[in-house]
Amino acid sequence: MVRKSQEWPDEGELIVGTVYKVLNYGAFAKLEEYHGKEAFIHISEVSSGWVKNIRDHVRENQKIVCRVLRVNPKKGHVDASLKRIREDQRTKKIQQWKIEQKAEKFLELVAKSLDKTLDAAYDEVGYELMDKFGDIYGAFEIAAEEGVDSLLNEDINEEWAEAITKVAKKNITPPEVHISGYVDIETFVPNGVEVIIEALKAAEDNGDDEEEIKVQCVGAPRYRITVKSTDYRLAEKALKNAAERCIAIVEESEGNGSFLRELE
């Protein structure tokens, strides 16, 4: 069960629940994000239209997204509505909940690697990650992209930070950035073909940097340079450097060249 750092949801909040009882006057659902809490949806809040049979709209074991109307700690449940939510909001909430589920599985892997329970993980670092990074998955994403220092800089315990980073790098693939531009190069020396080939190879040679660079012929004298990276800033730098390497070799052979950034 995905957990929140607070005990009760706020009024107006969207919540995920699993229906466990349907009666003629309403339905009861166990909340997926608030342990031990449940929601009651009155029949008047099931649908914006007339409800002849409530079971045409909600059934046992169904996952639902509803909006909190009132919070009642004494009764141990919240009053909620199925009708006061748009379809795009419902879809977005389900996607968010699925991401939170994935994050909890990652946190459980971290806990096991340290011979600790998931409950201990939440108490020792999970709720802290929520407070400092917005949610647990966000912390794992940052750790995967920026390394353990991104957690240590937020005063996350070193043991947990290292274990989280290890799991994050193993399970999260950073999003890829693809950018491209064009070089127009020409030279009229006798060995001009060899010069152009050397220049294009130089463009693709990125040394020890992680950015992947490829060059394609669009139609001489124009060539397209494409850079793939996990960081937009580094991709832009790699593209500029690739074009400069290429043009420099051509100009050394009394040729000329220019660079044009492709608009996205």
Side-chain angles (χ1 to χ4, degrees):
M1 172 176 292
V2 178
R3 310 176 199 183
K4 296 285 190 180
S5 55
Q6 62 193 66
E7 184 179 2
W8 292 92
D10 298 319
E11 289 188 7
E13 181 179 339
L14 300 185
I15 51 177
V16 178
T18 302
V19 178
Y20 72 91
K21 184 188 296 184
V22 179
L23 303 173
N24 291 333
Y25 59 87
F28 293 86
K30 295 180 180 179
L31 302 188
E32 295 291 340
E33 300 159 294
Y34 295 91
H35 183 65
K37 307 300 187 296
E38 63 179 42
F40 172 68
I41 304 98
H42 189 268
I43 189 171
S44 63
E45 293 293 337
V46 168
S47 175
S48 56
W50 181 58
V51 179
K52 181 178 179 181
N53 185 345
I54 190 174
R55 288 176 173 79
D56 290 337
H57 301 270
V58 63
R59 61 187 183 279
E60 281 86 355
N61 299 318
Q62 178 184 359
K63 283 284 187 297
I64 59 171
V65 177
C66 46
R67 186 180 298 279
V68 176
L69 299 179
R70 289 169 294 277
V71 179
N72 194 329
K74 290 183 177 180
K75 291 185 178 180
H77 72 242
V78 302
D79 294 316
S81 172
L82 279 171
K83 71 179 185 181
R84 304 190 194 194
I85 177 175
R86 300 191 309 270
E87 186 59 35
D88 63 307
Q89 293 175 321
R90 181 180 290 103
T91 300
K92 184 177 180 180
K93 178 61 181 179
I94 285 293
Q95 291 174 340
Q96 177 188 348
W97 177 65
K98 288 181 178 179
I99 289 174
E100 290 173 350
Q101 282 187 304
K102 184 182 294 185
E104 184 171 271
K105 289 187 181 299
F106 289 165
L107 187 62
E108 188 172 17
L109 289 174
V110 172
K112 287 182 178 179
S113 73
L114 298 176
D115 292 324
K116 297 188 178 187
T117 65
L118 180 59
D119 287 338
Y122 268 104
D123 292 338
E124 294 180 27
V125 75
Y127 296 125
E128 185 179 6
L129 294 177
M130 292 181 194
D131 292 338
K132 293 184 175 180
F133 294 93
D135 56 55
I136 294 176
Y137 193 81
F140 275 90
E141 278 190 316
I142 291 173
E145 294 179 20
E146 302 179 15
V148 67
D149 286 344
S150 62
L151 302 182
L152 296 176
N153 290 338
E154 294 294 333
D155 296 324
I156 301 300
N157 173 274
E158 184 175 355
E159 181 184 40
W160 282 105
E162 290 178 350
I164 287 169
T165 302
K166 184 176 180 180
V167 169
K169 287 185 175 295
K170 183 177 180 181
N171 292 279
I172 298 178
T173 302
E176 287 186 347
V177 174
H178 295 258
I179 64 171
S180 58
Y182 300 97
V183 286
D184 291 340
I185 51 176
E186 57 183 359
T187 181
F188 301 101
V189 296
N191 65 331
V193 174
E194 287 80 3
V195 172
I196 296 298
I197 292 175
E198 181 185 357
L200 298 178
K201 286 183 177 179
E204 289 188 335
D205 185 5
N206 203 27
D208 295 329
D209 293 338
E210 296 182 0
E211 286 66 43
E212 180 181 326
I213 301 175
K214 291 189 178 297
V215 178
Q216 296 174 304
C217 179
V218 176
R222 174 159 291 189
Y223 300 86
R224 187 172 192 241
I225 303 175
T226 302
V227 177
K228 181 170 70 174
S229 176
T230 58
D231 185 292
Y232 188 87
R233 180 181 56 83
L234 294 179
E236 285 285 2
K237 181 180 179 181
L239 178 60
K240 179 182 177 182
N241 290 342
E244 289 177 349
R245 290 194 300 270
C246 179
I247 292 172
I249 290 176
V250 172
E251 290 181 341
E252 287 175 2
S253 299
E254 300 180 359
N256 53 71
S258 60
F259 172 66
L260 175 66
R261 176 71 163 86
E262 184 175 12
L263 297 178
E264 298 176 4

